[in-house]
């Protein structure tokens, strides 16, 4: 596995990640005035570490990762990374946590989906754009 995580090939995500790394904190880095958390995942096939900034969805020290991809018909690439390697690092502000992710369903997913939509209302719109149920991981 590589030591230094790779930046996203997507320019806006790469720029957002660089800003977090330069500042040493996620504070002040937002999407639509909403805070983000910088997750580090491990590639499902490559084994390379990869940065993924996502909307901040947190409750009682647990975090959620919402695999929305803006309502695209397919899951984001990081979804498969987390399924294959559930050990994830989360940076929230200047604090860094080593967590384990698990995909949730049923009532637990409904609870976290409600929290996700409250944290970032666009998630509700994204769900209307796709036939897939947008996956939610809980990290603890």
């Amino acid at each position: 596995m590589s030591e230094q995580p790779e930046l996203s090939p997507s320019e806006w995500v790469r720029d957002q990640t660089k800003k977090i790394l330069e500042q040493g904190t996620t504070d002040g880095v937002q999407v639509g005035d909403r805070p983000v958390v910088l997750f580090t995942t491990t590639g499902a096939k490559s084994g390379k570490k990869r940065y993924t900034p996502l909307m901040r969805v947190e409750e009682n020290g647990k975090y959620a990762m919402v695999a929305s991809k803006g309502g695209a018909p397919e899951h984001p690439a990081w979804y498969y990374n987390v399924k294959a390697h559930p050990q994830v690092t989360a940076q929230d502000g200047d604090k860094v946590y080593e967590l384990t992710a698990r995909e949730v369903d049923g009532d637990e997913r409904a609870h976290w989906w409600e929290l996700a939509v409250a944290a970032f209302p666009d998630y509700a719109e994204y769900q209307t754009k796709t036939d897939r149920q947008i996956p939610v991981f809980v990290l603890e």
Side-chain angles (χ1 to χ4, degrees):
M1 280 189 246
S2 64
E3 291 296 316
Q4 181 61 35
E6 291 189 357
L7 296 171
S8 173
S10 171
E11 184 178 1
W12 75 270
V13 175
R14 187 172 56 248
D15 290 347
Q16 189 179 56
T17 303
K18 284 180 180 179
K19 185 174 180 183
I20 294 168
L21 297 174
E22 288 167 6
Q23 295 179 165
T25 180
T26 60
D27 294 342
V29 179
Q30 301 177 329
V31 173
D33 80 354
R34 304 288 177 135
V36 299
V37 173
L38 181 62
F39 295 97
T40 306
T41 63
T42 303
K45 296 178 185 173
S46 69
K48 294 179 181 178
K49 297 286 186 185
R50 301 189 186 280
Y51 289 121
T52 305
L54 297 173
M55 304 314 296
R56 184 182 189 279
V57 181
E58 184 272 341
E59 181 182 60
N60 299 324
K62 296 179 184 179
Y63 290 86
M65 297 176 79
V66 179
S68 68
K69 198 175 180 182
E74 70 281 344
H75 298 321
W78 67 258
Y79 168 86
Y80 301 100
N81 296 345
V82 174
K83 288 293 280 186
H85 302 284
Q87 304 314 118
V88 175
T89 301
Q91 180 179 344
D92 185 7
D94 61 357
K95 298 195 174 28
V96 177
Y97 307 97
E98 298 294 328
L99 303 166
T100 301
R102 60 186 172 77
E103 191 170 353
V104 293
D105 57 15
D107 290 343
E108 187 176 20
R109 184 197 176 277
H111 172 75
W112 281 95
W113 181 254
E114 185 177 313
L115 293 174
V117 170
F120 188 63
D122 289 1
Y123 283 142
E125 178 189 342
Y126 296 167
Q127 185 61 78
T128 68
K129 294 180 176 182
T130 183
D131 291 333
R132 68 184 174 93
Q133 182 178 56
I134 293 175
V136 177
F137 290 94
V138 171
L139 292 80
E140 49 191 323

